[in-house]
Amino acid sequence: MNEIPKNFDYKSSELKWQEFWENNKLYESKPNPVKKKFSVVIPPPNVTGILHFGHMLNNTIQDIYCRWKRMKGFEVCWVPGMDHAGIATQVMVEKELAKQGKTKYDLGREEFIKLVWQWKEKNGGTILKQLRKLGASVDWSKERFTLDDVLSLNVKKVFVDLYKKGLIYRGNRIVNWDPASQTAVSDDEIFYEEKNDKLYFIKYKLEDSDDYIPIATTRPETLFGDTAVAVNPEDQRFKQFKNKKVILPFLNKLIPVIEDDYVDKEFGTGALKITPAHDLNDFEVGKRHNLEAITVLSKDSKLNELAGEFSGLEIIEARKKIVKRLKEMDLLIKIEDLTHNVAVSERTKAVIEPYLSEQWFVSMKQLAQPALRVVKEGEIKFFPERYEKVYYHWMENIRDWCISRQLWWGHQIPIWYHKETGEIYCETDPPADIQNWNQDEDVLDTWFSSWLWPLSVFGWENSEKDATNETLNYYYPTDFLSTAPEIIFLWVARMIMAGMEYTGKIPFSEVYFHSTVRDGKGLKMSKSLGNFSDAIELMDKYGTDAMRFTIVYLAPLGNDVLFEEEKTQIGRNFVTKLWNAGRFLIMMKEKISEDNIEQNKSYNADLIDVWIESRYNSSLADAEKFLSEYRLNEYSKALYNFVWSDFCDWYIELLKIKIANSPENAVRIIDTALNYYENILKTLHPVIPYVTEELWHSIREGRGEQSISLERISESDKGNIDQKTEDDFEKIKEIVTAIRNLKINNGIKASLPSDVTLVSNSDESKVLLNLFSNYVMKLCSLKNLNITEKFTSEKEFATAVISNFEIYLSLEGTLNIEKQSEKVNKEIANLTMYIVGLNKKLNNENFLQKASAEVIAKEKEKQSEANNKLEKLQKLII
RNA sequence: GGGCGGUUAGCUCAGUUGGUUAGAGUACUACCUUGACAUGGUAGGGGUCAUUGGUUCGAGUCCAUUACCGCCCACCA
């Protein structure tokens, strides 16, 4: 056997196992009707993506479940892949082009797309390499990309299908227009910025008098598109304007005064100009009152020909000039400062222009119904549960989905317009006489391919063939989805809708929304804030296992993870501890075989064996329970505590003594320990894959198994959980701690052999102690341990009381009487307070009447125990 | 503005249907280079459970209120 280094050399070992797993195709899955399956699809990261803490957490979680289920005997299939990420990718390539002083128009659509593909092949997919480093046990043979042929065909099929069902329509809608990239962006691709602006108060004169309605606006330049002035129906100030018309400045056009609840009486003047083509709310008002929507801005945010003398001007300049002219015409009342939120494009940072344009929409109401039902009826469960409410609210108020994007990178819309007749053709394949048709220029929203992901990765094709598609029928619906809460609507809800619409089945049964990873102060990690740690760098520095363990240990269900580099010590130290425990056991095993002492054939399990068996099964049961509840931090803590405290601090320490005491049982003892250690490695493998694999091979050297990840984790055996033994053991631990405590507090070196007398009247306790006296002596460095019923002595002793034991530590002249009695007095004081409280409770008639008999009995027992202890303590003082 | 979470030791979190003197890890302090591990061992100090009020024999736990933090939705011209 090779010398085992003091620390795990993760740098070389990680790569070794990662390649081993992949080259041997350990995680490739095939439908296996004999086994239960566990299938998961990865939330496809952007092809431009780089692994950050969110990915690390999310993929570690998925890997934990996949490895755990695999080791529980499931046929596990975890499908990896990437998303083409329309805007992100296109913007990235456009930036590269810009460095060469070129734009995409210089290349043309076809060449540009070629270039993006080249970029993808060369630079894309970094994140998949990083997933390998993370140890993700995905099935690489099933890797998919949302622009793969099959997936693209699915996208087209679904578009055509929904179009023919009348669920996709073209409409004039206000969209968030990004003037910089010249495309509509979704609500999720914009953010709001607080901005200081001006609020202009303008007179709109009545047609037949000199009276006017004062309106307030931040955007006077859009007045050319005004088609009404609206007031609140309850606003008494404007009653006389009801059914009247006002004159639009510059154009001298008459527009009606209308009443609508939408208008806030308190804001501005209480009268609002309505510009349906350039404001979302105005558009809604316009629809209610049948108003015309007049576009006065061009796509690059300049006033168009309707603006007369101002046409061709940029917004800001036009605004200045218009205000100046209004003032000259005595139509400007005043200008106020105003702070308000302005929508900004996430990608280009340009101010979003609400713009009326022709876009393609999916009608959502009908699709939402079944998707709402399956969550309400519990067919799909969310963790944490509260996201169900969020989901209901959104689904019940769902809006139509704008799916067209004015981009080149993505799935081009399968719609062709006849050059002459304008007729619309919608099929997956182009029309035969293609020269007479123009295809719609737009591409589909990236989420239009992602919402089919759980179906399309398994070869679904929306045809009769699906019924006999073994892969699809075996793996779909998937079992588990782990994702970020931000994309509950963008992605999760839509996958449920697509699943229900196309298969009548849910796409997954449980959804876990993982924590948001923040910095130590609770701020979201971002490059601009500079509080961004590089996940990969830290993996290199501390080891992947340490990072995986730490981040899971820190992630409570439903709360954020506050991550700081120094916290990585939790995982690093634990991995080291695990490593060294294994190293020690292997060394012991070697040493024992070298000693070559004849072994006893019969070995009877003792209390320590029963205890560790019980603790192992309890911990395993806890771990499983926490996993099933998605309480990952508790799961990792349960294992951490078992390994560190029970196994290393107590079991291994006891084992050293046990072997020294009975070398004729050494082989049996160390083999038992190694067996537990193997079990520990297995239960930890899902969260700490590399170290456990490495150690497992060290332990089982020459026995030919492939990988620990293909081993089985046994069921936790409730029958082997022995609460009585665990309680007894706690008593021993208490006594050991108390004796050590006495030594330290009396200035006796821990290693100095001392005499201790334990006094107890309980036969049961004495039997227990006698069994362990040898261990207690070693653990506390005693030269004598006397167990008796009565004890008196003239010598000086340090004393303590633990449950039904009195402990006397011989001081042999080192006594510190003051310190000693101070300690006991303090304990007596505390105990007395406690007893007073109990007495009060037990003398309270109300309590005796209303509390359950069980509770009362419990309280009485506490009382007598406390009195008992008090009595013993008082005796010590005298 | 509407909705939803959270607030327990310096920090990160547990705390079951109300019933011990509220627990753990970490950080801190002291001691220990004991033949796996100083990325270690042993022990110790540290909390009026955010506020106020209520229900109850009994509240960290249930109800209400306020404050602060966070998230989601909407975005007011």
Side-chain angles (χ1 to χ4, degrees):
Chain A
M1 205 174 282
N2 299 326
E3 185 76 9
I4 300 169
K6 221 167 162 182
N7 288 301
F8 175 55
D9 177 10
Y10 52 87
K11 279 185 183 133
S12 61
S13 194
E14 285 178 7
L15 188 65
K16 175 179 76 187
W17 293 118
Q18 180 186 311
E19 283 172 352
F20 177 81
W21 296 333
E22 189 170 342
N23 294 341
N24 289 286
K25 306 182 194 310
L26 294 192
Y27 308 128
E28 291 189 9
S29 170
K30 277 196 303 245
N32 180 348
V34 181
K35 281 164 89 180
K36 272 175 100 175
K37 61 89 192 175
F38 183 78
S39 55
V40 180
V41 293
I42 210 166
N46 287 358
V47 62
T48 55
I50 286 170
L51 190 121
H52 56 62
F53 282 96
H55 294 121
M56 186 194 271
L57 175 63
N58 191 22
N59 289 297
T60 298
I61 288 168
Q62 290 171 75
D63 196 43
I64 287 172
Y65 282 96
C66 287
R67 286 183 185 272
W68 188 273
K69 288 287 180 178
R70 197 177 287 117
M71 293 175 81
K72 280 286 179 182
F74 284 75
E75 179 61 39
V76 172
C77 180
W78 182 14
V79 182
M82 286 186 296
D83 194 301
H84 65 281
I87 298 182
T89 313
Q90 176 159 334
V91 165
M92 182 160 283
V93 176
E94 280 187 81
K95 271 187 188 157
E96 303 243 314
L97 266 183
K99 281 182 200 156
Q100 306 161 31
K102 285 189 199 160
T103 71
K104 62 177 187 262
Y105 301 106
D106 297 332
L107 298 184
R109 185 168 189 140
E110 212 170 299
E111 285 302 307
F112 179 75
I113 290 173
K114 257 191 214 163
L115 188 68
V116 183
W117 275 107
Q118 277 168 19
W119 179 90
K120 188 239 167 192
E121 296 311 323
K122 209 173 130 209
N123 306 311
T126 304
I127 195 158
L128 293 186
K129 291 186 200 102
Q130 294 170 326
L131 273 182
R132 285 173 165 90
K133 184 178 173 67
L134 188 64
S137 61
V138 298
D139 179 349
W140 290 111
S141 74
K142 293 195 174 59
E143 184 188 331
R144 296 289 182 270
F145 182 53
T146 49
L147 282 176
D148 284 350
D149 290 346
V150 181
L151 279 76
S152 298
L153 183 60
N154 280 341
V155 164
K156 281 189 234 169
K157 279 182 174 175
V158 166
F159 185 97
V160 171
D161 178 70
L162 290 175
Y163 180 80
K164 290 186 174 169
K165 284 177 183 161
L167 291 175
I168 281 183
Y169 64 93
R170 192 161 59 145
N172 265 326
R173 281 296 179 93
I174 297 273
V175 294
N176 303 304
W177 185 261
D178 177 348
S181 65
Q182 302 257 319
T183 177
V185 293
S186 68
D187 290 344
D188 317 288
E189 289 156 340
I190 61 178
F191 63 93
Y192 289 88
E193 243 178 27
E194 200 164 82
K195 219 181 127 190
N196 295 320
D197 234 325
K198 304 281 184 206
L199 185 63
Y200 303 92
F201 291 73
I202 303 168
K203 298 176 188 172
Y204 277 26
K205 285 195 169 162
L206 253 71
E207 62 173 317
D208 45 10
S209 79
D210 280 342
D211 208 357
Y212 62 87
I213 276 196
I215 61 100
T217 179
T218 52
R219 307 205 54 192
E221 70 278 7
T222 62
L223 69 81
F224 302 99
D226 288 1
T227 46
V229 168
V231 297
N232 191 293
E234 279 163 24
D235 198 333
Q236 298 305 322
R237 292 175 295 176
F238 301 114
K239 276 288 167 221
Q240 73 271 25
F241 298 114
K242 204 179 168 185
N243 296 327
K244 298 245 164 102
K245 290 199 162 143
V246 294
I247 304 164
L248 199 55
F250 302 115
L251 298 181
N252 296 322
K253 183 174 147 190
L254 291 177
I255 55 172
V257 177
I258 58 168
E259 295 185 325
D260 198 286
D261 285 336
Y262 163 70
V263 183
D264 178 355
K265 286 188 285 186
E266 308 301 320
F267 190 89
T269 62
L272 173 65
K273 76 185 197 64
I274 300 295
T275 323
H278 293 286
D279 183 281
L280 183 62
N281 289 301
D282 289 8
F283 185 77
E284 297 297 326
V285 173
K287 269 207 304 192
R288 283 199 285 276
H289 297 271
N290 287 317
L291 300 174
E292 199 188 343
I294 300 168
T295 299
V296 295
L297 288 166
S298 62
K299 289 189 173 182
D300 51 0
S301 292
K302 285 180 183 154
L303 285 176
N304 67 14
E305 65 286 353
L306 296 175
E309 59 186 290
F310 306 104
S311 69
L313 294 177
E314 299 258 358
I315 288 176
I316 300 297
E317 209 190 337
R319 188 179 298 168
K320 272 190 214 155
K321 291 198 167 154
I322 289 167
V323 170
K324 193 172 163 231
R325 285 284 293 127
L326 285 170
K327 201 173 178 183
E328 285 164 14
M329 295 189 293
D330 193 30
L331 292 175
L332 184 73
I333 304 164
K334 59 174 172 174
I335 303 174
E336 282 182 0
D337 286 327
L338 176 76
T339 313
H340 66 157
N341 287 336
V342 176
V344 177
S345 166
E346 199 173 48
R347 297 279 164 205
T348 64
K349 315 286 182 252
V351 173
I352 292 293
E353 195 59 49
Y355 196 80
L356 188 66
S357 61
E358 287 228 310
Q359 302 287 338
W360 288 96
F361 292 88
V362 180
S363 168
M364 298 302 271
K365 279 229 160 60
Q366 185 183 327
L367 294 173
Q369 289 318 308
L372 190 55
R373 199 194 72 229
V374 290
V375 177
K376 279 204 164 155
E377 289 176 358
E379 238 189 289
I380 299 179
K381 288 203 183 72
F382 287 178
F383 297 85
E385 204 183 337
R386 73 181 131 90
Y387 283 109
E388 291 178 5
K389 276 193 212 161
V390 179
Y391 178 83
Y392 298 152
H393 184 258
W394 190 76
M395 292 295 267
E396 280 159 4
N397 299 286
I398 198 158
R399 299 189 188 187
D400 287 353
W401 175 16
C402 176
I403 49 170
S404 42
R405 292 294 124 94
Q406 291 66 44
L407 296 170
W408 288 354
W409 175 244
H411 305 95
Q412 194 169 354
I413 294 182
I415 288 272
W416 286 263
Y417 306 99
H418 196 274
K419 283 178 182 167
E420 278 147 32
T421 64
E423 183 194 341
I424 286 180
Y425 177 89
C426 178
E427 292 294 340
T428 52
D429 294 317
D433 50 339
I434 184 74
Q435 65 280 3
N436 296 324
W437 300 79
N438 288 324
Q439 186 170 5
D440 195 298
E441 296 265 306
D442 291 355
V443 299
L444 289 163
D445 181 6
T446 305
W447 299 105
F448 198 89
S449 50
S450 329
W451 77 326
L452 306 175
W453 186 250
L455 285 164
S456 54
V457 296
F458 295 121
W460 173 77
E461 45 181 310
N462 198 24
S463 73
E464 319 79 60
K465 286 189 201 155
D466 294 333
T468 54
N469 180 334
E470 197 194 357
T471 306
L472 180 69
N473 292 323
Y474 186 70
Y475 294 115
Y476 186 93
T478 65
D479 296 271
F480 168 58
L481 178 78
S482 176
T483 190
E486 299 97 272
I487 54 175
I488 180 170
F489 308 130
L490 284 175
W491 193 46
V492 179
R494 286 170 185 163
M495 280 191 287
I496 300 175
M497 292 188 241
M500 294 309 292
E501 176 71 13
Y502 286 103
T503 65
K505 285 192 228 162
I506 53 172
F508 30 69
S509 43
E510 304 200 337
V511 184
Y512 174 80
F513 294 102
H514 70 245
S515 312
T516 305
V517 182
R518 297 169 179 282
D519 73 0
K521 295 186 192 92
L523 297 169
K524 209 162 186 167
M525 286 196 183
S526 74
K527 276 181 188 156
S528 54
L529 280 174
N531 60 350
F532 191 87
S533 311
D534 186 332
I536 295 294
E537 214 172 83
L538 292 183
M539 281 157 77
D540 284 336
K541 196 165 162 191
Y542 297 101
T544 300
D545 286 338
M547 288 302 292
R548 285 173 58 123
F549 189 85
T550 302
I551 204 154
V552 166
Y553 187 92
L554 293 175
L557 175 65
N559 280 320
D560 293 340
V561 174
L562 305 184
F563 184 87
E564 290 166 296
E565 182 173 341
E566 60 180 44
K567 288 186 178 162
T568 314
Q569 289 171 13
I570 299 168
R572 183 196 57 179
N573 294 359
F574 182 57
V575 167
T576 307
K577 187 75 181 178
L578 179 70
W579 177 263
N580 278 298
R583 182 170 147 251
F584 172 68
L585 292 177
I586 294 168
M587 274 165 48
M588 280 296 270
K589 169 94 182 172
E590 249 176 279
K591 189 171 164 289
I592 287 164
S593 67
E594 280 166 10
D595 287 352
N596 208 13
I597 292 167
E598 196 178 331
Q599 292 296 300
N600 200 342
K601 288 213 176 82
S602 61
Y603 168 84
N604 296 320
D606 64 12
L607 213 53
I608 297 171
D609 296 311
V610 178
W611 171 75
I612 194 71
E613 175 74 10
S614 177
R615 286 300 306 136
Y616 172 69
N617 281 291
S618 301
S619 308
L620 185 58
D622 286 347
E624 295 207 64
K625 180 172 149 277
F626 290 134
L627 275 182
S628 72
E629 295 168 352
Y630 294 97
R631 299 169 64 184
L632 279 292
N633 62 334
E634 294 295 320
Y635 146 83
S636 62
K637 263 169 218 169
L639 295 177
Y640 181 98
N641 289 339
F642 173 70
V643 171
W644 205 307
S645 162
D646 293 330
F647 192 79
C648 292
D649 290 348
W650 289 97
Y651 181 73
I652 289 187
E653 291 309 312
L654 290 167
L655 169 145
K656 291 176 185 169
I657 300 166
K658 199 165 159 184
I659 288 176
N661 285 350
S662 58
E664 73 280 3
N665 290 325
V667 170
R668 183 63 190 259
I669 293 167
I670 195 72
D671 283 349
T672 308
L674 277 166
N675 185 45
Y676 280 113
Y677 189 71
E678 269 187 34
N679 284 334
I680 286 171
L681 292 179
K682 287 186 204 166
T683 54
L684 282 173
H685 176 73
V687 62
I688 303 180
Y690 292 116
V691 171
T692 50
E693 182 80 285
E694 180 88 19
L695 282 164
W696 191 78
H697 285 272
S698 300
I699 288 179
R700 300 183 67 99
E701 201 185 31
R703 282 190 272 165
E705 288 87 348
Q706 248 194 320
S707 162
I708 190 173
S709 61
L710 303 182
E711 291 293 304
R712 289 291 285 269
I713 296 174
S714 57
E715 296 298 320
S716 101
D717 185 348
K718 293 246 162 69
N720 286 331
I721 296 176
D722 182 340
Q723 199 52 50
K724 174 78 173 57
T725 300
E726 291 199 23
D727 291 345
D728 284 347
F729 205 85
E730 283 307 309
K731 225 175 264 176
I732 300 292
K733 282 161 81 173
E734 257 183 89
I735 287 166
V736 168
T737 302
I739 295 173
R740 283 168 172 167
N741 196 339
L742 281 178
K743 283 178 104 172
I744 274 193
N745 284 326
N746 289 284
I748 297 171
K749 263 192 132 180
S751 52
L752 189 84
S754 317
D755 283 353
V756 164
T757 301
L758 290 165
V759 181
S760 172
N761 298 319
S762 154
D763 289 338
E764 202 195 332
S765 298
K766 277 188 292 184
V767 169
L768 178 69
L769 244 185
N770 275 311
L771 277 174
F772 276 90
S773 64
N774 211 303
Y775 295 103
V776 174
M777 284 175 71
K778 282 270 164 36
L779 292 173
C780 300
S781 297
L782 305 181
K783 63 178 189 288
N784 284 304
L785 180 64
N786 181 22
I787 300 162
T788 177
E789 265 177 46
K790 274 220 164 87
F791 180 70
T792 44
S793 169
E794 269 106 69
K795 281 208 255 170
E796 286 168 333
F797 289 90
T799 52
V801 176
I802 291 299
S803 55
N804 49 12
F805 284 101
E806 292 154 52
I807 305 174
Y808 295 86
L809 170 72
S810 168
L811 289 164
E812 294 169 356
T814 58
L815 179 65
N816 182 339
I817 300 264
E818 291 79 38
K819 209 172 174 184
Q820 153 79 0
S821 55
E822 188 191 317
K823 191 102 184 157
V824 175
N825 276 324
K826 199 175 160 194
E827 212 180 335
I828 288 177
N830 285 341
L831 200 58
T832 309
M833 291 277 285
Y834 174 54
I835 291 169
V836 167
L838 280 173
N839 290 344
K840 217 168 142 189
K841 192 184 254 186
L842 284 165
N843 290 330
N844 183 338
E845 296 251 341
N846 274 326
F847 173 72
L848 295 174
Q849 262 173 34
K850 295 186 182 171
S852 73
E854 204 181 321
V855 170
I856 294 172
K858 233 178 177 178
E859 296 296 308
K860 281 192 172 155
E861 199 188 316
K862 282 184 226 158
Q863 191 188 33
S864 81
E865 260 176 34
N867 278 323
N868 209 325
K869 186 170 177 182
L870 184 67
E871 205 178 300
K872 283 178 181 165
L873 280 171
Q874 277 163 343
K875 214 167 63 190
L876 297 179
I877 291 245
I878 303 160

